[in-house]
């Protein structure tokens, strides 16, 4: 009974340590995250070849009607008023309660009581 093992209680089960298991792969990327007090950024480098690091573009709201990709995420958190929240909900599959990034930084000057930042 190849691939079968007998347990201490005499019950026979399947040996799940067969040679058919997928090999464990090592890490493929090195990821760097900068959580700054002014801005944040995320970058990665493939480990399996000679390659340059790449900074990831982070989608964020520029205005309540436009979403942009930017490599820098301003470290601001904004709780939008209902009018702004409804504009964003109308243009997004996600229904964010809080807004981060560029729009939040812009709103800090307009409605400072609704924005958290350092």
């Amino acid at each position: 009974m190849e691939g079968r093992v007998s347990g201490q209680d005499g019950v026979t089960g399947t040996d799940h340590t067969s040679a058919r298991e997928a090999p464990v792969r090592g890490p493929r990327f090195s990821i760097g995250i900068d959580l700054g007090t002014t801005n944040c950024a995320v970058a990665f480098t493939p480990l399996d070849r000679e390659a340059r690091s790449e900074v990831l573009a982070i989608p964020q709201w520029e205005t309540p009607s436009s979403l942009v990709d930017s490599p820098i995420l301003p470290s601001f958190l904004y709780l939008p008023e209902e009018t702004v929240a409804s504009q964003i909900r109308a243009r997004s599959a996600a229904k964010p309660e809080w807004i981060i990034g560029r729009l939040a930084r812009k709103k800090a000057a307009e409605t400072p009581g609704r924005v958290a930042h350092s």
Side-chain angles (χ1 to χ4, degrees):
M1 292 209 317
E2 189 175 310
R4 310 283 289 169
V5 293
S6 179
Q8 187 176 15
D9 59 2
V11 176
T12 302
T14 303
D15 178 3
H16 293 288
T17 59
S18 71
R20 289 185 273 156
E21 288 184 7
V24 176
R25 292 186 61 177
R28 295 173 43 201
F29 299 95
S30 178
I31 298 174
I33 302 171
D34 175 5
L35 297 175
T37 56
T38 305
N39 293 297
C40 300
V42 179
F44 74 96
T45 300
L47 297 176
D48 60 349
R49 63 181 188 271
E50 301 271 336
R52 295 179 52 97
S53 297
E54 291 185 46
V55 177
L56 297 175
I58 303 167
Q60 51 194 296
W61 293 100
E62 178 76 29
T63 68
S65 60
S66 68
L67 193 62
V68 297
D69 289 337
S70 175
I72 301 296
L73 178 70
S75 301
F76 287 76
L77 179 65
Y78 164 58
L79 178 61
E81 302 88 347
E82 184 52 39
T83 55
V84 174
S86 63
Q87 286 178 307
I88 290 173
R89 282 193 297 266
R91 290 174 167 69
S92 173
K95 306 298 181 209
E97 197 170 320
W98 291 85
I99 305 300
I100 59 172
R102 297 168 75 125
L103 178 59
R105 181 180 59 197
K106 178 182 173 189
K107 288 294 188 175
E110 298 170 13
T111 55
R114 301 186 74 84
V115 178
H117 62 92
S118 51

